[in-house]
Amino acid sequence: EVQLVESGGGLVQPGGSLRLSCAASGFIFSDYDMHWVRQAAGKGLEWVSGIGFAGDTYYSDSVQGRFTVSRENGDDYLYLQMNNLKAEDTAVYFCAREGPEAMHYLDVWGKGTTVTVSS
Amino acid sequence: SYDLTQPSSVSVSPGQTASIPCSGDKFGHEFACWYQQKAGQSPVLVIYQDTKRPSGIPERFSGSSSGNTATLTISGTQAMDEADYYCQAWDSGVMKFGGGTKLTVL
């Protein structure tokens, strides 16, 4: 079964850091681009970051310079290092797999991990 | 940057057809896809590459694109289709979502 499981969320103070992890299983992780998408309570989906299977990275303007996406293909893990966190980063963070052939749609999603930035 | 614009809400009677438009100036040279998100759940891909339906998605879900507008159509809408729907596109290294449309079946 294809599966993505996020972890690492929690409560952090403004200015703090947090590292999210996403464990992939049921598919050849190294063949796929991966993304992080977040959703604040009661709000819509917001793309955060993406990483190609070869390691090229992409970021939204709202997190550029503060967040770093990475992957460990040998262990089938995706990561999101979040620094200098702000209240507006509070959200559920989803890990998602991009479909094949660089068509830029997300065909598999995890259940999400919650990040709360508050003093 | 660019924006994808969807109506915030659409209502439909059971058995009728629901249409959800998404406008964006990248359509025409970028594909649109659509996600369904039910309350408390993760999003599910229902349409990709404008018109394609993933396996397991009912045939009543279809997509189209013309000019600057992509449209999700649900034929014979059922109560179980009540959810939030998001369009999405990609351009020059940026993924964008529409603001979401709440579909109410009443």
Side-chain angles (χ1 to χ4, degrees):
Chain A
E1 178 193 7
V2 174
Q3 195 171 13
L4 299 171
V5 179
E6 303 92 337
S7 61
L11 174 64
V12 61
Q13 292 188 341
S17 298
L18 212 55
R19 188 195 198 200
L20 305 184
S21 300
C22 171
S25 60
F27 64 100
I28 303 174
F29 179 71
S30 58
D31 284 352
Y32 290 84
D33 295 358
M34 299 294 296
H35 295 264
W36 290 97
V37 177
R38 69 185 180 186
Q39 185 172 36
K43 303 296 185 182
L45 301 173
E46 180 189 12
W47 176 74
V48 173
S49 179
I51 184 167
F53 64 87
D56 44 318
T57 58
Y58 307 89
Y59 299 95
S60 67
D61 288 345
S62 61
V63 308
Q64 178 78 49
R66 300 189 298 123
F67 290 12
T68 302
V69 62
S70 62
R71 64 191 299 161
E72 179 51 66
N73 286 340
D75 292 334
D76 296 347
Y77 267 85
L78 174 72
Y79 301 102
L80 186 68
Q81 177 67 43
M82 304 186 295
N83 298 330
N84 189 21
L85 283 160
K86 306 175 181 181
E88 52 264 38
D89 296 318
T90 295
V92 174
Y93 284 72
F94 297 100
C95 164
R97 186 183 81 171
E98 183 174 319
E101 301 175 351
M103 287 291 112
H104 306 304
Y105 57 88
L106 304 176
D107 64 349
V108 179
W109 294 67
K111 294 187 183 304
T113 186
T114 300
V115 172
T116 303
V117 183
S118 175
S119 55
Chain B
S1 66
Y2 65 96
D3 290 323
L4 299 179
T5 302
Q6 306 176 229
S8 58
S9 63
V10 168
S11 297
V12 63
S13 299
Q16 298 304 302
T17 297
S19 293
I20 302 175
C22 173
S23 63
D25 60 8
K26 299 303 181 182
F27 294 142
H29 63 272
E30 290 291 341
F31 287 118
C33 60
W34 292 88
Y35 304 92
Q36 175 194 69
Q37 187 180 33
K38 296 182 178 180
Q41 298 183 18
S42 302
V44 173
L45 179 71
V46 294
I47 293 291
Y48 66 101
Q49 288 182 243
D50 288 346
T51 62
K52 298 180 179 179
R53 197 173 50 249
S55 61
I57 300 301
E59 292 184 7
R60 63 180 181 274
F61 288 86
S62 64
S64 62
S65 184
S66 178
N68 291 341
T69 301
T71 303
L72 174 69
T73 300
I74 310 172
S75 304
T77 308
Q78 299 182 10
M80 68 173 64
D81 300 330
E82 188 161 285
D84 293 326
Y85 291 86
Y86 296 89
C87 60
Q88 177 248 303
W90 172 272
D91 180 68
S92 302
V94 176
M95 182 174 287
K96 197 75 175 181
F97 288 93
T101 298
K102 182 175 182 59
L103 178 68
T104 300
V105 183
L106 41 67

